[in-house]
Amino acid sequence: MITLYENPGWGSAIVELQLALYGLPHALVTVGNIHQDPVARAALGRVNPLIQVPTLVLENGEVMTESAAITLLLADLAKSDLLVPKARSKHRAAFFRWLVFLVASIYPSFAYSDTPERFVKGNGGEAYQLNVIEHRKQMWKVMEAEAARRGGPFFLGDRLSAIDIFLACMVHWRPREEWFRTETPSLWRAAEAASALPGLQAAFARNFG
Ligand SMILES: N[C@@H](CCC(=O)N[C@@H](CS)C(=O)NCC(=O)O)C(=O)O
């Protein structure tokens, strides 16, 4: 069985929701506060030297990290195009573009703002943290313009994809729900549409309830 190392509400939720939607059997191992607890860090570090969630261990023992890579792999394992548009489908290019933007540009900014002490020495950390969050807001606005142009209800328009699952989780992270609801209504609508999908309720409540 697949094992997901996770913390409720953290990035592992992006993977847990996909496992739930596909109906792929999996076990959960809660890792605890890997930012602060040396025991939790050591335990996860034995599985994944990056000490990050999501960490997935496949049935054959292979370790998978990186939420986008896991997203693509799960679609293969589930033999499904529910969340990943098929090769040559009309949504494929936009899906690749925005999936990579999410994980390469937006997601790393959480490491920079959540643990500024890793990146800034001395007492400049707070201003730096606020700047990172402001920069993240600008990136979300770029995604908002794209979602608005496509017209919803999902990020890609009329087609659900894993991007909506990322949004359903990430709108709960800073700058958080109220900001998304008012400043990026198209992203909020896509996140809400994904959160309401049948089959997701238990996993969603476990992470964000
Ligand atoms: N590139 C990774 C990023 C994962 C990530 O940053 N996870 C956060 C939790 S949301 C984490 O585990 N942070 C702990 C750390 O970086 O020390 C992915 O896309 O899965």
Side-chain angles (χ1 to χ4, degrees), residues 10-11 34-35 41 50-54 66-68 103 107 118 173:
W10 292 37
I34 49 175
H35 286 315
R41 289 184 64 76
L50 295 169
I51 318 183
Q52 289 183 336
V53 295
E66 309 314 314
S67 52
V103 298
Y107 201 162
R118 285 198 286 190
W173 303 349

Side-chain angles (χ1 to χ4, degrees), residues 5 9 14 24 26 31 35 71 80 86 95 101 106-107 112 124 127-128 137 144 163 168 175 179 183-184 186 196:
Y5 289 77
I14 296 162
L24 288 170
H26 58 279
V31 301
H35 286 315
T71 293
S80 168
K86 277 201 179 94
F95 175 75
F101 181 71
I106 293 183
Y107 201 162
Y112 307 148
Y128 158 84
K137 288 179 182 172
E144 167 64 17
I163 292 171
W179 186 86
E183 299 292 327
T184 61
S186 307

Side-chain angles (χ1 to χ4, degrees), residues 167-178:
L167 291 173
C169 298
M170 288 175 141
V171 296
H172 298 286
W173 303 349
R174 285 184 287 184
R176 298 200 198 281
E177 297 86 343
E178 200 45 47

